[in-house]
Amino acid sequence: MRTALLQSSGRPGSIAANLKVLDEAAGRAAAAGAGLLAAPEMFLTGYAIGDDIGRLAEPADGDAADAIAELAGRHGLAIAYGYPERAGEAVFNSVQLIAADGTRLANYRKTHLFGCFERDHFTPGAQPVVQAELNGLRVGLMVCYDVEFPENVRAHALAGTDLLLVPTAQMHPFQFVAESVVPVRAFENQMYVAYVNRVGQEGEFEFVGLSTLAGPDGVARTRAGRADELLLADVDPAFLAASREANPYLKDRRPGLYGSLV
């Protein structure tokens, strides 16, 4: 499945403007044969927008979800996007996956919040593994900091995730996560990992870009620079199956030795 990664911070504070950016990117991705477009963490509203996070937060089935379902159907590809999710009094840092026919396939709430900014504005999610079937692949969802916990990604591997989508807001000076940690996560868990970042200065944060799609061999299929960019790379189920056969980490595990980890 050809996968497109939209590296962009859009226009923080404007849902309407960010829907236009997503619409344009979806058109370009579909024209290039992509079956999936992934956008960064909090792409719908912007990340460093302070109390506007609560004001702009929407339920998973809100107006923005309807708008994205419409453009997914119009362009004929699935879309994953980060947004602030309103659920009663709580606000979650979430990512939602919508199919090419507009069906809402999966919604994930970030389980590991990073720093005071996130802990002040969000409630942590409680479900570590969220998946959906898409074009013959089992797609899993995470958000940013979540991927830095090896237990999180291993849980996805044990649940059969083939492609892990990780919308992120990775900031300076932690670019080594994109450069080194993400390819290692893909290799040690024998899956594809799509890590799609914001870019540029936003409030107090400097987002580093460097979005990538890493394969189960630990090799980046594509990698962005530090500017807005639409990346394209293929997720190959046959290569994944061969890699899992050659690198049997999951088969060779000895869970009885790991009890002290929990």
Side-chain angles (χ1 to χ4, degrees), residues 45 50 97 190 210:
T45 61
L97 175 63
Q190 288 300 294
L210 303 175

Side-chain angles (χ1 to χ4, degrees), residues 96-182:
Q96 182 151 232
L97 175 63
I98 295 180
D101 65 0
T103 302
R104 293 173 48 244
L105 293 179
N107 188 73
Y108 169 80
R109 297 166 172 173
K110 188 174 186 177
T111 53
H112 296 74
L113 301 180
F114 179 78
C116 295
F117 178 83
E118 291 194 4
R119 288 192 289 270
D120 286 345
H121 289 93
F122 299 108
T123 297
Q127 186 174 355
V129 176
V130 173
Q131 301 168 309
E133 299 297 321
L134 180 66
N135 297 344
L137 295 169
R138 184 168 296 180
V139 177
L141 302 175
M142 274 188 187
V143 179
C144 196
Y145 194 39
D146 291 329
V147 80
E148 298 177 40
F149 293 82
E151 303 92 339
N152 255 16
V153 187
R154 180 50 56 89
H156 269 274
L158 295 175
T161 293
D162 300 314
L163 168 61
L164 184 62
L165 300 181
V166 189
T168 187
Q170 182 64 64
M171 57 196 70
H172 177 80
F174 305 110
Q175 47 266 35
F176 67 89
V177 174
E179 295 169 336
S180 301
V181 174
V182 168

Side-chain angles (χ1 to χ4, degrees), residues 71-87:
L71 70 90
R74 179 157 40 83
H75 293 293
L77 82 173
I79 296 176
Y81 65 98
Y83 74 109
E85 179 193 355
R86 169 73 65 185

